Amino acid sequence: GATLIAALLAQHRFADALAEARELVAHHPDEPVYRAILGEAALEAGDGATPRTMFTPVRGQRGALALAPRGGRRLE
């Protein structure tokens, strides 16, 4: 799940991380942290549209510890 995606991102295996993140969100579409993880993986993989659609619904929850760094990276 999320740990595997984090490891793939750390290894710069962005396409693999993106595929895993899409699978995670497919199984848990309403989990804000997973949507943010997918947005982060998509951002790293060069997908410009997915991060916007993943981060927009969680914008009001930016203060959440798991969401804040990912939202900040998107704004970067």
Side-chain angles (χ1 to χ4, degrees):
T3 304
L4 173 60
I5 296 164
L8 292 169
L9 288 171
Q11 295 171 10
H12 293 225
R13 294 175 53 192
F14 303 130
D16 294 331
L18 181 56
E20 289 293 328
R22 283 190 173 134
E23 186 72 23
L24 186 62
V25 169
H27 285 62
H28 306 281
D30 296 325
E31 177 57 51
V33 173
Y34 296 163
R35 293 175 64 83
I37 289 170
L38 174 54
E40 180 180 15
L43 190 67
E44 292 291 356
D47 175 349
T50 299
R52 184 174 299 115
T53 61
M54 291 297 109
F55 285 116
T56 299
V58 299
R59 187 173 292 163
Q61 302 175 30
R62 271 190 262 182
L65 189 58
L67 297 175
R70 290 180 174 94
R73 290 200 65 233
R74 179 182 169 261
L75 294 173
E76 220 175 53

